[in-house]
Amino acid sequence: MKIGLEIHVQLPTRSKLFCGCSTGGDAPNSMVCPVCLGFPGSRPFLNRRALEMGVLITKFLNCKITDRIWFSRKTYFYPDLPKNFQITQYESALGFDGHFMVGEKRIGIWRVHLEEDPGRVKRVGRAGEEVSLIDYNRSGVPLVEIVTAPDLSSPAEARDFLTDLIIELRRLIGVSGEEQTMRVDANISIGEDRVEIKNITGLKNVEKGLKSEVTRQTKLLAVGKRIVRETRHYDESRGVTLPGREKEQEADYGYIGEPDLGTYRIGPLAESMVVPETPLVRAQRMQKEHGISAQAARQIVLTDWELADLFESLSRRVGGDTAMSWTMGPISSGWKVLKANTDGSWKKVTDIVEAVSEGSMSDSEGRLRIAALSGGHEIEGINNGPSTDLDGLIVRLVDQHPEVVKDFKKGNEKAANFLIGQVMKETRGQFASKVIAEKMKRELGKRV
Ligand SMILES: [Zn+2]
């Protein structure tokens, strides 16, 4: 089974791709101008920010960057497209031949390009009396299109790919990550002929749509029928794919170069850009650097970026495994408060974990202290709380256990451990084990 995806992601710019209209706006047709309404004589100009975001994505996806790019008109007639053509990139793209890793698997990226979104047609009214309304607020909204090689081998893998991609893009350029910001066309072939499912919104729907197509094609092949090469769409409510309109051949679009826009040199721009570390790249680095599992690294990074910072700093002081169990345990459960505290609680937390790891503070005291910090206040004087008289308790226990004193007299220092354990149990970790041990040995020493 071979699956390839064409992914359209909305770039989070404030204005549209070829005019100054805002990309926000709720009231239909409130954000429009002669350019995005395609009035004769209006001329587009390129949004620099959108270009930069597109180039950064292309570089992140390890593509070969095209040095000089231009735009093309893709001509077709539909009410959502007032100019009767969409400005896109055809012969030229931002880049080609990249890849993206899903776990250990390398998925080829054929190309990445910029294009504008058309308007939106809404059907309203009762069945039989429906009318179509058009909202041009979407017209000219910047999209980046990412085309993968048919390297995905199951619907679940396609979903994993999209999940990981959106995680990375959210950090890289701040895409909102909502399902609506991503629209997918999926190609799938089980046998020789490939079927395209158009315009799927939402990651779950991509997986479901592909699954239902696998079922349909498998059944047809089982009874010796041929798969028809066609475009279908996924009906969410029925959970099946249905035949769509006849697919135009690329030649039908009559691509021509867009004469109102120039050519742009993006080679130097791409070279000057630094791709920041993205979450999954970071998780992979953390796995190697701190010797933790891939799953743990991913969990920390995806919980919170600053929590991962804390983990890394802890790990350098107390080692990966200890840092991991504290980070995902007591620290992450109170993380919201800890993160919001600007009075250095971050530093206090690392000091506490370090003290526990060195043995100068008991594990349960460390947990209590972190819980207290998460509650926004520190436990004051926990070592000499009025509720427990540590010295008195030790004297009482030593009195009650003359056999331990006897053993200790014989030079068996380990005999003290039993009593130390008793103290810890009774004081429920209020005191560091080191403190208890010192006091206990001193008391036993007196009896020798
Ligand atoms: Zn406009």
Side-chain angles (χ1 to χ4, degrees):
M1 184 190 314
K2 283 182 178 176
I3 297 171
L5 303 173
E6 292 174 22
I7 307 135
H8 301 82
V9 183
Q10 182 181 336
L11 296 172
T13 56
R14 275 185 295 183
S15 55
K16 294 185 181 178
L17 187 52
F18 298 117
C19 63
C21 289
S22 165
T23 50
D26 293 330
N29 298 308
S30 58
M31 299 296 170
V32 289
C33 75
V35 174
C36 53
L37 287 177
F39 283 14
S42 65
R43 296 185 67 171
F45 50 94
L46 181 61
N47 181 334
R48 187 184 168 88
R49 192 72 198 106
L51 181 67
E52 287 169 352
M53 286 181 182
V55 172
L56 186 62
I57 292 173
T58 311
K59 197 170 172 179
F60 166 70
L61 291 171
N62 308 292
C63 292
K64 290 184 194 100
I65 305 282
T66 312
D67 188 50
R68 199 176 287 275
I69 60 149
W70 67 92
F71 289 85
S72 298
R73 294 179 172 185
K74 178 181 180 178
T75 303
Y76 63 97
F77 177 78
Y78 201 69
D80 64 3
L81 197 67
K83 299 193 291 285
N84 287 342
F85 61 82
Q86 177 192 25
I87 304 177
T88 179
Q89 292 184 275
Y90 184 54
E91 298 97 334
S92 125
L94 298 173
F96 299 90
D97 298 331
H99 65 267
F100 182 74
M101 301 299 289
V102 179
E104 298 295 306
K105 187 166 172 183
R106 192 179 196 271
I107 306 299
I109 303 290
W110 272 346
R111 56 181 276 145
V112 179
H113 70 253
L114 287 175
E115 66 183 30
E116 59 175 345
D117 211 3
R120 200 140 280 177
V121 179
K122 280 182 194 160
R123 291 194 175 75
V124 294
R126 283 184 293 180
E129 296 171 20
E130 291 161 314
V131 289
S132 294
L133 299 176
I134 308 173
D135 180 5
Y136 289 113
N137 280 357
R138 294 283 316 172
S139 174
V141 162
L143 304 177
V144 68
E145 181 172 338
I146 299 165
V147 183
T148 78
D151 289 344
L152 296 155
S153 45
S154 74
E157 195 173 70
R159 184 176 170 178
D160 289 345
F161 172 88
L162 292 171
T163 306
D164 285 4
L165 182 67
I166 202 90
I167 287 170
E168 300 293 69
L169 293 185
R170 199 179 293 159
R171 182 83 197 172
L172 193 67
I173 55 159
V175 301
S176 74
E178 284 164 32
E179 301 257 309
Q180 292 77 8
T181 56
M182 194 185 250
R183 232 166 41 228
V184 178
D185 300 340
N187 296 302
I188 172 164
S189 51
I190 291 179
E192 292 286 294
D193 290 291
R194 150 193 120 127
V195 169
E196 185 175 34
I197 316 170
K198 274 274 189 197
N199 253 329
I200 321 173
T201 312
L203 306 188
K204 261 185 224 157
N205 287 332
V206 171
E207 188 182 7
K208 280 190 202 159
L210 283 168
K211 267 187 185 162
S212 79
E213 190 53 28
V214 171
T215 311
R216 188 186 71 89
Q217 292 190 21
T218 312
K219 275 183 189 162
L220 283 174
L221 291 173
V223 293
K225 286 192 179 158
R226 261 201 62 213
I227 308 290
V228 184
R229 253 188 118 102
E230 63 180 343
T231 300
R232 302 176 70 87
H233 64 260
Y234 178 60
D235 184 329
E236 289 174 30
S237 54
R238 296 167 60 187
V240 292
T241 66
L242 302 167
R245 66 188 154 97
E246 284 283 302
K247 185 174 166 55
E248 289 95 345
Q249 297 300 308
E250 286 297 309
D252 297 337
Y253 290 123
Y255 286 99
I256 56 162
E258 167 59 66
D260 288 338
L261 291 162
T263 61
Y264 304 85
R265 268 202 84 191
I266 60 169
L269 173 69
E271 221 157 276
S272 70
M273 280 179 169
V274 179
V275 179
E277 191 174 45
T278 46
L280 301 178
V281 172
R282 181 178 191 184
Q284 226 163 35
R285 175 181 61 72
M286 277 169 47
Q287 186 194 344
K288 284 188 201 123
E289 208 173 303
H290 303 284
I292 55 175
S293 73
Q295 198 199 350
R298 188 181 168 109
Q299 197 187 345
I300 292 183
V301 173
L302 296 190
T303 302
D304 190 79
W305 193 258
E306 276 87 28
L307 184 68
D309 290 343
L310 179 76
F311 164 80
E312 291 208 66
S313 120
L314 259 183
S315 170
R316 287 185 193 109
R317 290 161 74 173
V318 301
D321 287 338
T322 307
M324 176 71 209
S325 68
W326 282 89
T327 306
M328 290 324 287
I331 298 173
S332 78
S333 46
W335 182 240
K336 259 192 189 158
V337 179
L338 288 174
K339 193 184 169 186
N341 279 350
T342 47
D343 59 354
S345 60
W346 206 82
K347 167 95 174 54
K348 284 178 196 157
V349 167
T350 48
D351 287 346
I352 291 170
V353 176
E354 202 170 15
V356 174
S357 133
E358 282 169 351
S360 60
M361 189 187 287
S362 74
D363 189 84
S364 32
E365 183 186 347
R367 282 169 192 277
L368 280 172
R369 281 186 182 272
I370 288 173
L373 280 173
S374 318
H377 58 87
E378 258 181 289
I379 295 178
E380 296 295 343
I382 192 166
N383 276 346
N384 44 25
S387 56
T388 311
D389 169 15
L390 181 59
D391 294 328
L393 177 66
I394 288 174
V395 171
R396 182 161 60 82
L397 281 168
V398 172
D399 287 344
Q400 283 169 359
H401 294 279
E403 77 282 1
V404 175
V405 180
K406 224 192 240 167
D407 276 358
F408 195 78
K409 265 184 189 166
K410 284 182 196 156
N412 184 3
E413 292 229 350
K414 279 186 185 163
N417 289 348
F418 165 71
L419 291 182
I420 293 168
Q422 292 295 307
V423 175
M424 289 182 81
K425 213 163 142 192
E426 287 207 20
T427 56
R428 289 188 199 141
Q430 282 183 67
F431 304 97
S433 54
K434 209 175 166 183
V435 174
I436 300 172
E438 273 166 15
K439 283 182 186 282
M440 182 61 73
K441 281 179 186 165
R442 204 178 306 142
E443 185 59 33
L444 285 168
K446 283 183 199 163
R447 314 290 176 100
V448 176

